[in-house]
Amino acid sequence: MRSLSHMLIFAASGILLASCTTGLSPQRTKFTEEMAVKQTPAEWKQGVSPQAQNLSSLLALSSDKKLNTHVDAVLANNISLRQSVLDLQKAELERDKTSGSLWPTLTFNSSTDRQRSKSAQGTSYANSVGGDLTINWEADLWGKLSDRARASGRSQAASEHDLQAARASLAAQAMRNWVELTALEKLADLDRSRISSLGNTEQIISDQFTRGIGELSDLEAARSATANAQSDLADRKLQIDQLKRQMQVAASQMSNTHFRTGSLLPNVKLPKGAMPATTLGRRPDLLAAYERAAAADLQHKAAYKDLLPSFSVNFTASDQSASLADLLNGGPAWRLLGSLSAPILDGGNRRLTAKQADLDAARLWLTYRQTLLTAVMEVENGLQNEQTLRSREQILGRALKHSQSNYEQYERRYRDGLTDIVTLLSAERDAFAARQAVVNIRSSRMQNRVDLAVAFGIGL
């Protein structure tokens, strides 16, 4: 009778294991890794300039010492970057904690007891010292513990890539800020030059008026133009001050920090990118998105394996004696217990949890796909911008030459009384606008090269 009951128990266990094993291959949603990585371009649509250079680091983009000093300060002191370092350390601890679930746990409990009793013979005392040693271990039959440990490892790898992306992004932003600050200060110098030039124009008008060939309205028009130029200079100073504060915050510096830029815009080298597969394979933001999606896939597998039975072993050894010295003299009592447990009815919670994990994985693969498409777009935009900005810079250079020559001609003609003040002021405004346009387009081109380097996945 007893052997029959054992057979029934083992038969039921076998049926249970067989039925659970059929659910080991979970159903997946439509969007998976294969769909996320498909259609990676074989080559860039936009051509690469022959002037492009192979660069090993973002810091090699420019040889401007002041710019690189600022970038170093940002990388060393930025608070957000320090937080990213802490996030990485936290992810490493989580990985180690999850990996620890694969190993047995060892617990030791001790107890002491002292009892006092009275009898006709007198008072007596009884001492008791006990100890329990317990080992618990869950057998990773289906690999779900390994899946979760691997998922934690991939999440930690994603945090590493996040830190790399944060460092590259901060360095790039520091470079762009330095180029923009240099451009704004150069534009402010042009505003001051225009105000000085307008002062000279006012003097010419005064001389003309003194000779009786000028009009008072010409002087008022010149003074109006000067006031507008002074307003532009005030606005430019505001932009400079605000940008400096932003740069101070990025470098975690106080407001009394001074940034001394050069008289010329920093020259940023044009980076040369690799083929799309190589470029996209080294971008830290793309690698981080991939690792998170892969980690979600592993969590999804582990969630479905939670539907299967689990087997655990519990070993306990205990002993008790009157003193600590005698605790281990005799053989301790011990117990070995193996248990097999399987979910039967839980309202479908585990299966629903597995479905949720599937949706999380699909969502993260979509995120990876979106990051991939954005990366391709950023490279193509950067390459096209370089071509367009270079062409525009050449055109604006010619426009500057013509507008400056035109202004000088109208100035001579006004002195001779052959043209009016409105035409002269318009020519003067066009000449300074052309100078400002050249500075702005040059600044945009240098900043675009920094963006292009980041898009190519060039790190630090």
Side-chain angles (χ1 to χ4, degrees):
M1 187 70 180
R2 191 170 181 180
S3 60
L4 178 61
S5 63
H6 287 169
M7 292 178 61
L8 291 175
I9 291 175
F10 281 115
S13 300
I15 295 173
L16 181 61
L17 287 171
S19 62
C20 290
T21 306
T22 59
L24 189 58
S25 300
Q27 296 296 322
R28 293 302 309 273
T29 52
K30 294 182 179 180
F31 202 87
T32 58
E33 177 180 358
E34 291 75 14
M35 300 182 67
V37 300
K38 69 177 183 178
Q39 297 177 350
T40 300
E43 59 183 12
W44 305 117
K45 294 181 180 179
Q46 303 296 326
V48 180
S49 171
Q51 300 176 353
Q53 304 179 42
N54 287 316
L55 302 175
S56 59
S57 169
L58 287 175
L59 300 179
L61 281 171
S62 177
S63 57
D64 189 301
K65 294 182 179 179
K66 295 179 180 179
L67 182 152
N68 290 329
T69 298
H70 173 62
V71 173
D72 291 339
V74 170
L75 293 176
N77 303 316
N78 184 266
I79 294 177
S80 297
L81 192 58
R82 293 182 180 181
Q83 292 174 333
S84 297
V85 173
L86 295 177
D87 290 339
L88 174 58
Q89 294 174 351
K90 182 179 178 181
E92 291 173 345
L93 294 175
E94 183 64 29
R95 176 202 59 193
D96 295 341
K97 185 173 70 173
T98 305
S99 299
S101 62
L102 295 168
W103 298 91
T105 61
L106 178 64
T107 306
F108 177 75
N109 295 315
S110 63
S111 61
T112 59
D113 184 26
R114 181 178 175 84
Q115 295 182 354
R116 176 185 177 186
S117 59
K118 292 183 178 181
S119 63
Q121 290 76 20
T123 303
S124 63
Y125 297 89
N127 297 324
S128 176
V129 178
D132 295 332
L133 182 67
T134 302
I135 299 176
N136 288 306
W137 178 63
E138 180 180 354
D140 194 16
L141 293 177
W142 317 109
K144 67 176 180 179
L145 298 180
S146 298
D147 286 341
R148 289 195 167 98
R150 290 164 54 204
S152 183
R154 305 206 77 151
S155 296
Q156 183 267 336
S159 296
E160 286 186 358
H161 294 309
D162 284 338
L163 179 58
Q164 295 172 2
R167 285 174 54 81
S169 178
L170 275 172
Q173 185 61 53
M175 292 180 182
R176 288 192 297 265
N177 286 342
W178 192 268
V179 173
E180 184 180 358
L181 177 62
T182 307
L184 286 173
E185 291 185 339
K186 193 168 183 60
L187 290 174
D189 290 338
L190 287 176
D191 289 333
R192 295 184 186 94
S193 297
R194 188 185 176 202
I195 292 171
S196 177
S197 177
L198 287 170
N200 294 334
T201 302
E202 289 184 29
Q203 185 61 45
I204 296 172
I205 296 171
S206 297
D207 294 342
Q208 297 286 65
F209 186 76
T210 303
R211 292 161 51 191
I213 58 175
E215 296 182 5
L216 184 60
S217 60
D218 292 351
L219 187 59
E220 293 297 327
R223 289 172 176 171
S224 175
T226 301
N228 288 330
Q230 291 171 340
S231 175
D232 291 341
L233 177 59
D235 182 62
R236 199 86 62 190
K237 288 180 178 179
L238 177 63
Q239 295 177 40
I240 291 173
D241 290 340
Q242 291 179 345
L243 180 57
K244 285 183 176 180
R245 294 188 190 100
Q246 179 181 335
M247 295 168 67
Q248 289 162 356
V249 171
S252 300
Q253 296 172 339
M254 303 303 294
S255 58
N256 58 356
T257 304
H258 299 288
F259 299 103
R260 301 187 182 279
T261 60
S263 58
L264 299 176
L265 281 174
N267 181 52
V268 178
K269 300 173 185 177
L270 177 61
K272 184 177 183 179
M275 298 301 290
T278 303
T279 294
L280 299 176
R282 67 184 184 185
R283 281 189 51 145
D285 58 337
L286 198 57
L287 293 173
Y290 182 87
E291 293 292 346
R292 284 196 172 86
D297 258 349
L298 291 169
Q299 293 287 7
H300 162 249
K301 292 179 181 179
Y304 265 98
K305 291 174 182 178
D306 283 336
L307 299 170
L308 302 175
S310 62
F311 178 75
S312 61
V313 176
N314 179 280
F315 174 81
T316 302
S318 61
D319 196 6
Q320 193 168 5
S321 66
S323 66
L324 183 62
D326 299 332
L327 185 61
L328 299 178
N329 284 342
W334 58 273
R335 181 183 64 177
L336 179 64
L337 175 66
S339 61
L340 180 68
S341 61
I344 298 177
L345 294 176
D346 64 348
N349 287 335
R350 297 189 183 218
R351 189 168 294 276
L352 292 175
T353 299
K355 288 290 186 182
Q356 289 176 335
D358 178 27
L359 296 177
D360 288 339
R363 184 179 184 277
L364 286 174
W365 282 121
L366 283 170
T367 301
Y368 171 77
R369 179 63 179 172
Q370 183 62 49
T371 307
L372 175 63
L373 295 174
T374 301
V376 174
M377 178 193 68
E378 289 174 352
V379 173
E380 297 288 3
N381 287 349
L383 291 173
Q384 187 176 26
N385 286 342
E386 171 63 25
Q387 297 174 4
T388 302
L389 292 171
R390 182 175 64 248
S391 177
R392 288 184 59 197
E393 186 176 351
Q394 295 172 351
I395 294 172
L396 289 173
R398 294 195 298 269
L400 171 59
K401 180 180 178 181
H402 296 316
S403 62
Q404 183 64 32
S405 176
N406 183 57
Y407 165 64
E408 292 172 356
Q409 292 179 20
Y410 274 110
E411 185 180 30
R412 287 194 297 268
R413 294 184 65 183
Y414 183 79
R415 288 179 183 273
D416 296 336
L418 300 178
T419 188
D420 56 43
I421 188 62
V422 174
T423 305
L424 175 61
L425 292 176
S426 177
E428 185 179 33
R429 182 179 64 251
D430 291 344
F432 276 95
R435 293 183 189 179
Q436 292 172 343
V438 170
V439 173
N440 284 325
I441 201 70
R442 178 74 175 173
S443 173
S444 297
R445 189 179 175 195
M446 296 301 103
Q447 293 184 58
N448 178 71
R449 289 183 173 185
V450 175
D451 292 336
L452 185 57
V454 176
F456 277 141
I458 299 175
L460 296 172

